[in-house]
Amino acid sequence: LDYQIRFCCEHAATTSPSTTSTTTPTIPETSTTTTKVPPTTTSTSSYTADRKCNGFWSEWYNDHTPSRYSPGDTELLESIRQDVCPSIYYTINEVECQFVDFPKWPISESPDNVTCDPDVGLVCRVPVESMEEVNIC
């Protein structure tokens, strides 16, 4: 089976620390509060048409098609990162993966071992023991 992937590009929020200054008659006091929210990464292995994207979805990428001599399928972010979002001011926070020929069929029902991760991309590996049976992602 052949898979494809797309990424949600959201404008990177630039947050500056908020500063509150309070002065008393005798001792000036300044406090600075910085709140850092860790990025949320979500791995998904199923098709969801209503996945939330507060930016825009990239085009679908399908640069690798599995074959008998190359049975796995990989659509790695590393090789397409500069094409996915238009500038460094965008971050990828969400991902969707689907079958090329059956886009509405949930990947969670795939017989393959498929990983769909916003930091890595799509990876479908054929177990070594299956290689003798000529299994293809």
Side-chain angles (χ1 to χ4, degrees), residues 59-116:
E59 64 183 74
W60 287 100
Y61 289 90
N62 181 24
D63 294 335
H64 181 264
T65 300
S67 69
R68 178 182 177 128
Y69 301 104
S70 179
D73 193 357
T74 55
E75 307 299 339
L76 300 178
L77 176 60
E78 176 182 310
S79 62
I80 57 174
R81 181 180 295 276
Q82 61 195 28
D83 299 328
V84 172
C85 298
S87 76
I88 60 170
Y89 299 107
Y90 288 89
T91 59
I92 295 169
N93 73 337
E94 196 61 70
V95 65
E96 284 186 351
C97 296
Q98 67 182 21
F99 295 98
V100 171
D101 295 329
F102 310 101
K104 301 296 182 193
W105 186 31
I107 289 181
S108 59
E109 295 179 20
S110 171
D112 299 326
N113 181 11
V114 179
T115 304
C116 189

Side-chain angles (χ1 to χ4, degrees), residues 1-3 62-75 112 124-127 130-137:
L1 295 169
D2 193 11
Y3 300 92
N62 181 24
D63 294 335
H64 181 264
T65 300
S67 69
R68 178 182 177 128
Y69 301 104
S70 179
D73 193 357
T74 55
E75 307 299 339
D112 299 326
C124 179
R125 299 274 185 229
V126 176
S130 297
M131 297 290 270
E132 295 172 8
E133 300 170 15
V134 191
N135 284 349
I136 298 174
C137 279

Side-chain angles (χ1 to χ4, degrees), residues 7-84:
F7 300 89
C8 174
C9 300
E10 291 187 4
H11 197 272
T14 31
T15 55
S16 57
S18 73
T19 305
T20 308
S21 298
T22 340
T23 305
T24 60
T26 53
I27 303 171
E29 187 178 301
T30 303
S31 66
T32 303
T33 305
T34 304
T35 305
K36 290 187 178 181
V37 179
T40 303
T41 56
T42 304
S43 294
T44 180
S45 60
S46 63
Y47 173 86
T48 306
D50 298 326
R51 188 163 301 282
K52 181 144 175 107
C53 179
N54 292 322
F56 61 91
W57 287 103
S58 72
E59 64 183 74
W60 287 100
Y61 289 90
N62 181 24
D63 294 335
H64 181 264
T65 300
S67 69
R68 178 182 177 128
Y69 301 104
S70 179
D73 193 357
T74 55
E75 307 299 339
L76 300 178
L77 176 60
E78 176 182 310
S79 62
I80 57 174
R81 181 180 295 276
Q82 61 195 28
D83 299 328
V84 172

